[in-house]
Amino acid sequence: MTLVELTIVLLAIYLGARLGSIGIGYAGGMGVLALAVVGVPPGNIPVAVILIIMSVIAAIAAMQLAGGMQYLVMLAERLLRSNPRQITFLAPMVTYLMTLMAGTGHTAFSTLPVITEVAKEQGIRPSRPLSVAVVASQIAITASPVSAAVVAMSGLMEPLGVSYLTLLMVTIPTTFVACMVAALVANRQGVPLAEDPIYQQRLAQGLVGQRQQQSQALPEGAKRSVAIFLLAILAVVAYATATSPAVGLITEPTLGRDHAIMVVMLTAATAIVAFCAIDASQIVNQSTFKSGMSACICVLGVGWLGDSFVSAHIEEIKALAGDLVQAWPFLLSVALFFSSMLLYSQAAATIALMPAAVSLGVDPVTLVASFAAVSALFVLPTYPTLLAAVEMDDTGTTRIGRFVFDHPFLLVGVTAIAVAVTLGFVWGEVLID
């Protein structure tokens, strides 16, 4: 029966991957039903993570409606154009910081056209900055104070003595350095733009466009909305630090960390609506709101499916995998890498596998160091930001090869995760007792 149940889980994941987007969550729920039919009781629903995603997205969508995202893109463009020859290194910095702040990699959509145009203007192969920018937007999720993946991971680590702040102190520097190393790799990928035959062909056919200068006035509340959202993030981090046992400034908090994130983000959304003169009824039409609610369904379905199977077979999993992971800790990162490749969600991969790793008795340093490996969303060339980069590069340099996996994101992404995990083990030993 265990084999039958595992087959159900794998088939549900496969179907979800084929359906794509929110279909992953749908298929996960169907998998829970199928497991129940064969006698496996439903596991725990990751309610707290889902509610946090909803709260954070509510604030981000309000900021987007107020023009805050437009303002951030304007700042990003200024930075990219300040030193355009270094676009391959500046682009991942921009997408990393925007994801770090917003907790979603979908913020990269708005910067990809700018990256493409700046690269073309400088005669730089656009696939170089685009590939590492997309990867940076994915791996930064594991360092964002308000991302669902970090919240879920922190909830698992705090009982093991690793605070929310310590987790961030490991993941932020290691993932950022990893992105810069990946930029070095990206900067050497492919022939120079002028020597690319596909570019030359498209140029001759008039398929390579030129940038159209557009001056769009910022809405009145744009800067104010960004300030409110930044203050909310700082408040979340400050409260989590103050209530951490390691700091102990607040020993008996009225609000737990998860509750604090929710109420602070909802308060920030209220402030943006009230002080930035926006129509609250239009928030649900924002692209960030739609993608966030889709993420909630994905986490619900996949997280529930994973917990149902793992909870039913935790003893067998301990017996089979416990010794292997203890002997070769890097195997955990390998498992997370391939899981996230299929689940298309850092949060879903974290929720599906990390509780089992904790149950196996894996040491905290290994858990934290391996966390970055849940960011392998770049492997299959079907993730939205990856596809957007391909579509926006009209030079044809950012392309999917005949063998599916031969695309410019793969080597860059694998490099970023390998470096982040390696540095995580080194830096984690220093910070984690």
Side-chain angles (χ1 to χ4, degrees), residues 105-176:
H106 290 159
T107 54
F109 281 119
S110 53
T111 62
L112 295 179
V114 179
I115 294 169
T116 303
E117 294 304 326
V118 172
K120 286 195 300 184
E121 289 169 7
Q122 296 300 313
I124 295 171
R125 186 182 180 90
S127 65
R128 294 174 177 175
L130 285 173
S131 61
V132 70
V134 168
V135 168
S137 73
Q138 294 177 358
I139 200 170
I141 289 293
T142 60
S144 171
V146 291
S147 74
V150 167
V151 169
M153 185 66 178
S154 178
L156 293 170
M157 297 308 301
E158 284 188 338
L160 302 180
V162 180
S163 69
Y164 174 74
L165 184 62
T166 301
L167 176 63
L168 293 176
M169 289 174 64
V170 174
T171 58
I172 290 175
T174 55
T175 53
F176 182 78

Side-chain angles (χ1 to χ4, degrees), residues 9 53 88 95 99 145-146 196 233 277-278 280 290 305 326 330 366 418:
V9 172
I53 295 175
T88 306
T95 55
T99 300
V146 291
D196 190 293
I233 294 176
I278 61 174
K290 293 175 182 178
L305 174 65
Q326 293 292 352
F330 73 90
T366 299

Side-chain angles (χ1 to χ4, degrees), residues 20-283:
S21 186
I22 199 172
I24 300 171
Y26 293 163
M30 186 193 70
V32 174
L33 174 61
L35 287 177
V37 169
V38 298
V40 177
N44 296 316
I45 299 174
V47 176
V49 175
I50 294 171
L51 294 178
I52 287 171
I53 295 175
M54 293 174 66
S55 305
V56 172
I57 289 299
I60 292 173
M63 181 178 69
Q64 182 181 16
L65 181 60
M69 295 298 292
Q70 182 184 339
Y71 176 58
L72 289 175
V73 172
M74 185 183 75
L75 294 179
E77 182 170 6
R78 287 180 185 173
L79 176 62
L80 293 172
R81 293 188 179 282
S82 65
N83 195 353
R85 298 300 302 173
Q86 300 302 319
I87 183 70
T88 306
F89 297 93
L90 292 176
M93 287 184 189
V94 166
T95 55
Y96 182 95
L97 291 173
M98 291 183 70
T99 300
L100 190 79
M101 187 180 76
T104 170
H106 290 159
T107 54
F109 281 119
S110 53
T111 62
L112 295 179
V114 179
I115 294 169
T116 303
E117 294 304 326
V118 172
K120 286 195 300 184
E121 289 169 7
Q122 296 300 313
I124 295 171
R125 186 182 180 90
S127 65
R128 294 174 177 175
L130 285 173
S131 61
V132 70
V134 168
V135 168
S137 73
Q138 294 177 358
I139 200 170
I141 289 293
T142 60
S144 171
V146 291
S147 74
V150 167
V151 169
M153 185 66 178
S154 178
L156 293 170
M157 297 308 301
E158 284 188 338
L160 302 180
V162 180
S163 69
Y164 174 74
L165 184 62
T166 301
L167 176 63
L168 293 176
M169 289 174 64
V170 174
T171 58
I172 290 175
T174 55
T175 53
F176 182 78
V177 171
C179 289
M180 293 301 99
V181 175
L184 289 171
V185 174
N187 211 31
R188 302 181 66 86
Q189 279 199 137
V191 299
L193 180 61
E195 299 175 17
D196 190 293
I198 293 181
Y199 166 68
Q200 292 296 341
Q201 180 182 356
R202 292 181 63 83
L203 189 63
Q205 295 172 345
L207 299 177
V208 180
Q210 298 298 318
R211 180 175 184 265
Q212 300 295 320
Q213 293 286 347
Q214 294 180 346
S215 57
Q216 229 177 355
L218 281 174
E220 184 180 346
K223 297 179 181 179
R224 199 175 306 133
S225 69
V226 172
I228 292 170
F229 188 73
L230 285 175
L231 286 174
I233 294 176
L234 291 175
V236 166
V237 175
Y239 185 80
T241 302
T243 56
S244 169
V247 177
L249 291 178
I250 303 176
T251 54
E252 296 182 4
T254 303
L255 287 172
R257 189 210 55 221
D258 291 355
H259 292 130
I261 294 174
M262 294 179 214
V263 298
V264 168
M265 286 298 157
L266 291 176
T267 301
T270 304
I272 292 171
V273 173
F275 297 117
C276 298
I278 61 174
D279 182 358
S281 66
Q282 296 302 311
I283 291 175

